[in-house]
Amino acid sequence: MNKPLVWMGQAVLYAALAAVILVFTRWPSYQNLPADSALIKLSISHQGKVLGDCVELTPEELAKLPPNMRAPVSCPRERSPLTVEIDVDGVLAYRQVAQPSGLSSDGAAVVYHRIEVPAGAHAIEVRMKDDARSEGFDYTRSETVTLAPAEILVVDFDAAERRIILL
Amino acid sequence: MSSGPVRAAWLRIEEIIDPLFPGGTNPMRNLGALACLMFAALLVSGIYLYIHFDTSTDGAWQSIKRLSDEQPWLGGWLRSMHRYAADLFVTFTLLHLLREWVLGHYSRFRAMTWLTGVPLLAFMYVSGIGGFWLNWDVLGQYAATASAELIDALPMLDGTLARNFLDSGAVSDRFFSLLVFIHLGVPLMLLFGLWFHLQRVTRPRILPPCALLLGQLVFLAAMALAWPVTSGAPADLDRVPVALALDWFVLHPLPLATALSAAVFWSLLAVLFGVLLAMPVFYARHTEPVAVVDADNCNGCRRCVDDCPYSAITLEAHPDGKPGKQIAVVAVERCASCGICAGACPSATPFRSVSELVNGIDMPQQSVDSLRRKLVDDLAHAETAPVVVFGCRHGIDVERNRSVDVLGYNLLCIGLLPPSFIEYALRGGAAGVVVCGCADASCEFRLGNQWTRERMLGTREPHLRRTVPPDRHRVVMLGRHEQGPLDAAIDSVRKNTSQGGNP
């Protein structure tokens, strides 16, 4: 093949490659969230209450233990699962029972979920239970929020204040 | 997958493109090398970007924007090159994988190269997606949150990573520095993995031929100049980036995971990687006899060691016990059964006055002795002085050209041909000899064409003696369908003979 044809052929192929690169680095546009929608991010990482009470060991029980492990009180490590429910406009939008992490189930339980809602005002109620031995939910928060399009509302739990927070 | 219409179609496409990229510069035959070139471009441009990059949450976006605004001819240009090189790196790598898959280059002697290549895909995607995080614009925000949510779907993580991107105050400078180190560390792991990937390949083509290399770099530089990459709005974790101009080359796993659900995505990914890793086992091509060493005829000259394309031959102490004498030893699992070693062996000369030509290293399915016998027999029975054509069974079928005055021999690889066979054929009454390898850069065993050329030119041992008249033989490298140029080469040597050339 003569040189001009080779050059032309190469130019066409390079142009085609450029076109492919330019097109697919920008197009088609990806709709990450529907227009006029907002997002509620339910994200809670929290250690539930321990499942049992600490007990004092008897002298006989202590004697059976190696000398370096003779702590007078034995506390169970396993923690309660975390139950979280969220209602949006009076309808249950999500419910999860999260198990504690860790090999001994003594770590934090984590809930993470995205809920897409139309932008505007919404009545939100979040309920959380972190003690398997109690009746009903231990924490509740109800709020009416107004969400702008694309706005993110984060639902979290403040362990220091021990309350559900909306960010 | 190694045969059939898909393979034939792929090879046909490569042959169609061949004339546009002469001299072995066809990009379709250099995909791995092109991917390496783009990786090198990423490393070089990345060093400059890192020098100017502010590794804090607030400073990252501004520092990159400053590059584009204040030094568009260097910083902005390199930034754009960095992005386009990443797109091309992914493209070439995936095409490289696809090509090797379609051509069946994943089993036996190529198994280790295949298996060490598959994990590099994961490194590539982590490096690429991680690069978008650092820009920390809306696209980076999307990439970071979406990939964190995707990773969190794996067992044991359960949403802990995504909590780092909950709101504007959640991303600390220290955490952002960690993201930077991921984007630096994973490519270095990729580089290390690449070294493993090429361990079983002798003289790997890490970079494409000069013309293609220059063309690709000019192309990349021109793209970056003509269509500079710009940042989106700075990340705002209180708002969802809604409509995004996504870079689909690198970021396609994220929307795919959203569309399928993270669990389905990870399951499919596990299946895909499982299939890729299992390919060498379940789709192994039939095993051919491998090279065999004859201790009595091997003096450990090392030529076969140097010429083997897959490092399948080593030297060990010779069993005859003579001090310092060595013998070639073939690693069965690495041998490609190409016969290039047989062509390299000095004992492969057909002029040896032995009734059975036993080579130091030879192929049981196509021994040098069988080739000599066939040639002698054919020449003896030829009615007119024929043109002898040595070809490769992976290239154009030269045996199909057999006629009254043409003798064709398809070899395992053209590199199997000891150059002395040309002189032997001419002395035996051949009018001329044509040595026909595969198209440039398409040798099934990578180095057959190159070694053949160098042996014929006298720059590699064993070489063709200079006393052989150059007008009586031709070396051509042709695609499987280039019958015309082959006929022309045959006519050319025959014409030279009829004009009075002597062997």
Side-chain angles (χ1 to χ4, degrees), chain A residues 10 28 30 32 43 110 112 150, chain B residues 20 149 158 163 240 242 244 248:
Chain A
Q10 288 194 8
Y30 176 63
N32 188 33
S43 175
V110 181
Y112 184 87
Chain B
L20 297 177
E149 287 168 1
D158 292 335
R163 282 182 60 78
V240 185
V242 179
L244 292 163
W248 292 91

Side-chain angles (χ1 to χ4, degrees), chain A residues 6 10 13-14 18 20-22 24-33 43 45 110 112 114 149-150 152 154 156, chain B residues 19-21 84 87 142 149 158 162-163 166 215 219 223 227 237-244 246 248-249 255:
Chain A
V6 166
Q10 288 194 8
L13 287 181
Y14 275 119
V20 170
I21 296 289
L22 287 172
F24 293 110
T25 48
R26 294 159 172 81
W27 180 90
S29 172
Y30 176 63
Q31 197 70 25
N32 188 33
L33 188 75
S43 175
S45 176
V110 181
Y112 184 87
R114 292 160 54 104
I152 300 174
V154 176
D156 200 352
Chain B
L20 297 177
F21 291 88
Y84 290 134
D87 297 326
Y142 164 72
E149 287 168 1
D158 292 335
R163 282 182 60 78
L166 274 188
F219 168 75
M223 283 256 302
W227 294 280
L237 287 170
D238 296 327
R239 298 180 63 78
V240 185
V242 179
L244 292 163
L246 213 61
W248 292 91
F249 289 97

